[in-house]
């Protein structure tokens, strides 16, 4: 089994979408470019959702137009529907992520649709995107617990995931949207998803509500997952999922895999620089641990 990890940075989208302070497009461009300079090769630059639903993501069109694209990097944007896809394609985005929930209540809160409506609508969006040559990722949110319904039947995650893959998504990202999955639950869910779809098709998207995200990443890795999401500084959360904390911090994940001699190809220190700059711009608290460690060693000249 491959030791290589692919890391997928969601900070400029999931990280910023729940912040009180709205970052201007020019700063969002700087953020994306800083993360890419650190070695990130998959990055979500923003979303094309309704600006009334998520005002923080207004201006993603400007971000997409202004970023200086680096060869070998996949720049993704989140789209909820056909209108979002059109907005993305109008500004040259060629990697899009669609999303829906494993549970009915969260899907309605987040997308104003039933799950069956979303499956139908996203099937069309994926088909249209593929016919235009785009690559599509599909999130299945609330895969390990729902803020409204509690426990989730993982069979539903697999059913929805299979439909989205059949429609043409390149891979799934299983979202622990509110960070309630326990290590045994995450391990079992990943085992079943890997068995059903294969390693190339499964990513894990952890929110770190209870400080268990790194443990969950580790058990998922032991099951064979090789694609992990994270957000710089541990920012983020879904505005329509009460109780959702930030994503697992990218720099902590990268450090974890580096400690295990697993190749990630990203400099955790350079991610910390971006996290500190963002903290100063937005006033959030960096929730990961590695930045503190790195800063202490940098200050003592012991890097
Ligand atoms: P709706 O109100 O049902 O929309 O919202 P509609 O289809 O009825 O259309 C109403 C109006 O909105 C129309 O305009 C549309 O054109 C317009 P009007 O004719 O009235 O002038 N509209 C749009 N405008 C701009 N961009 C669009 C768009 N679509 C319609 N894309 C909608 C449905 C999907 C738009 C809304 O529910 C929405 O924007 N939801 C997004 C919520 C969101 O962004 N949540 C956070 C991201 S998901 C997440 O964080 C989880 C994840 O990280 C994984 C995990 O953690 O598990 C991915
Ligand atoms: Mg998320």
């Amino acid at each position: 089994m491959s030791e290589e990890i692919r890391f997928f940075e969601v900070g400029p989208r999931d990280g910023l979408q729940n912040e009180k302070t709205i970052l201007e497009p020019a700063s969002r461009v700087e953020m994306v470019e800083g993360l890419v300079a650190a070695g990130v090769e998959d990055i979500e630059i923003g979303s094309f959702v309704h600006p009334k639903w998520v005002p923080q993501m207004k201006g993603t069109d400007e971000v997409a137009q202004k970023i200086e694209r680096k060869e070998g990097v996949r720049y993704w944007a989140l789209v909820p529907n056909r209108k979002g896809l059109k907005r993305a394609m109008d500004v040259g985005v060629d990697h899009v992520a669609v999303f829906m929930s494993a549970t009915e209540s969260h899907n309605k809160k987040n997308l104003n649709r039933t799950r069956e409506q979303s499956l139908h609508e996203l099937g069309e969006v994926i088909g249209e995107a593929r016919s235009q040559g785009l690559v599509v990722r599909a999130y299945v949110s609330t895969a390990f617990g729902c803020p409204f319904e509690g426990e989730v039947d993982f069979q539903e995650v697999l059913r929805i995931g299979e439909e989205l893959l059949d429609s043409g998504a390149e891979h799934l990202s299983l979202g622990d949207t509110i960070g309630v999955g326990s290590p045994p639950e995450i391990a079992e869910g990943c085992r079943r998803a890997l068995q059903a779809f294969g390693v190339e098709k499964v990513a894990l998207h952890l929110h770190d509500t209870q400080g268990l995200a790194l443990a969950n990443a580790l058990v998922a890795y032991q099951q064979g997952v090789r694609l992990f999401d994270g957000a710089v500084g541990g920012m983020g959360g879904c505005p329509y999922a009460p109780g959702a904390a930030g994503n697992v911090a990218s720099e902590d994940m990268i450090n974890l895999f580096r400690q295990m001699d697993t190749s990630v190809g990203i400099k955790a220190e350079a991610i910390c620089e971006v996290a500190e700059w963002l903290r100063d711009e937005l006033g959030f608290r960096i929730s990961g641990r590695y930045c503190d460690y790195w800063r202490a060693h940098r200050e003592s000249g012991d890097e």
Side-chain angles (χ1 to χ4, degrees), residues 62-74:
E62 199 177 326
V63 176
Q65 282 166 321
K66 294 207 169 136
I67 40 177
E68 200 168 306
R69 286 167 183 266
K70 202 170 146 188
E71 220 187 303
V73 177
R74 309 206 294 176

Side-chain angles (χ1 to χ4, degrees), residues 26 76 107 168 175:
W76 301 78
N107 204 64

Side-chain angles (χ1 to χ4, degrees), residues 233-256:
M235 310 172 79
C238 173
Y240 296 97
N247 292 269
V248 63
S250 308
E251 60 277 14
D252 286 14
M253 289 277 271
I254 291 158
N255 181 50
L256 168 70

Side-chain angles (χ1 to χ4, degrees), residues 164-287:
L164 295 169
L165 286 173
D166 285 349
S167 297
E170 180 205 72
H171 69 270
L172 302 172
S173 181
L174 305 177
D176 187 8
T177 315
I178 54 166
V180 289
S182 67
E185 284 162 351
I186 297 279
E188 176 61 6
C190 290
R191 187 192 65 74
R192 290 175 66 185
L194 289 167
Q195 188 178 45
F197 309 126
V199 64
E200 298 297 329
K201 306 253 181 244
V202 179
L204 186 62
H205 177 99
L206 297 165
H207 284 264
D208 199 13
T209 316
Q210 307 181 62
L212 286 174
L214 282 187
N216 285 337
L218 187 59
V219 296
Y221 174 77
Q222 286 165 341
Q223 290 297 327
V225 175
R226 291 293 178 270
L227 177 55
F228 290 91
D229 299 359
V232 53
M235 310 172 79
C238 173
Y240 296 97
N247 292 269
V248 63
S250 308
E251 60 277 14
D252 286 14
M253 289 277 271
I254 291 158
N255 181 50
L256 168 70
F257 290 118
R258 181 170 66 184
Q259 299 280 342
M260 293 167 62
D261 288 332
T262 302
S263 147
V264 189
I266 302 172
K267 293 187 206 83
E269 295 71 17
I271 301 280
C272 290
E273 304 257 18
V274 179
E276 292 192 341
W277 169 74
L278 283 165
R279 177 201 55 202
D280 298 344
E281 292 277 314
L282 296 167
F284 78 102
R285 189 180 66 83
I286 295 175
S287 60

Side-chain angles (χ1 to χ4, degrees), residues 2-218:
S2 159
E3 291 306 307
E4 261 192 34
I5 296 287
R6 258 174 68 210
F7 182 75
F8 193 110
E9 172 64 50
V10 299
R13 192 276 303 170
D14 200 335
L16 295 182
Q17 72 184 11
N18 210 18
E19 282 297 312
K20 283 193 204 77
T21 310
I22 297 183
L23 202 60
E24 289 305 315
S27 300
R28 291 167 61 189
V29 169
E30 204 176 324
M31 175 181 184
V32 170
E33 290 178 351
L35 293 164
V36 168
V40 167
E41 290 188 331
D42 279 289
I43 186 161
E44 254 177 17
I45 64 165
S47 65
F48 292 97
V49 300
H50 198 298
K52 283 206 182 111
W53 284 61
V54 187
Q56 291 87 340
M57 289 290 107
K58 206 173 149 196
T60 298
D61 42 0
E62 199 177 326
V63 176
Q65 282 166 321
K66 294 207 169 136
I67 40 177
E68 200 168 306
R69 286 167 183 266
K70 202 170 146 188
E71 220 187 303
V73 177
R74 309 206 294 176
Y75 297 88
W76 301 78
L78 193 77
V79 302
N81 53 18
R82 267 177 186 270
K83 174 136 191 182
L85 175 65
K86 181 172 181 322
R87 287 176 57 206
M89 290 197 303
D90 283 349
V91 289
V93 170
D94 50 11
H95 289 75
V96 291
V98 298
F99 58 104
M100 65 172 287
S101 308
T103 52
E104 197 69 10
S105 333
H106 185 255
N107 204 64
K108 284 187 181 152
K109 284 274 193 303
N110 205 29
L111 282 164
N112 202 23
R113 300 285 184 273
T114 65
R115 289 179 306 167
E116 290 319 304
Q117 285 171 330
S118 282
L119 275 173
H120 179 73
E121 200 171 348
L122 295 183
E124 288 183 355
V125 170
I126 296 170
E128 167 75 10
R130 289 294 308 277
S131 74
Q132 300 292 325
L134 277 70
V135 183
V136 183
R137 132 184 283 223
Y139 286 98
V140 185
S141 290
T142 63
F144 301 96
C146 173
F148 310 109
E149 296 178 26
E151 273 185 35
V152 171
D153 176 1
F154 203 77
Q155 200 52 44
E156 283 298 284
V157 177
L158 297 176
R159 175 182 75 84
I160 289 167
E162 187 172 3
E163 276 210 41
L164 295 169
L165 286 173
D166 285 349
S167 297
E170 180 205 72
H171 69 270
L172 302 172
S173 181
L174 305 177
D176 187 8
T177 315
I178 54 166
V180 289
S182 67
E185 284 162 351
I186 297 279
E188 176 61 6
C190 290
R191 187 192 65 74
R192 290 175 66 185
L194 289 167
Q195 188 178 45
F197 309 126
V199 64
E200 298 297 329
K201 306 253 181 244
V202 179
L204 186 62
H205 177 99
L206 297 165
H207 284 264
D208 199 13
T209 316
Q210 307 181 62
L212 286 174
L214 282 187
N216 285 337
L218 187 59

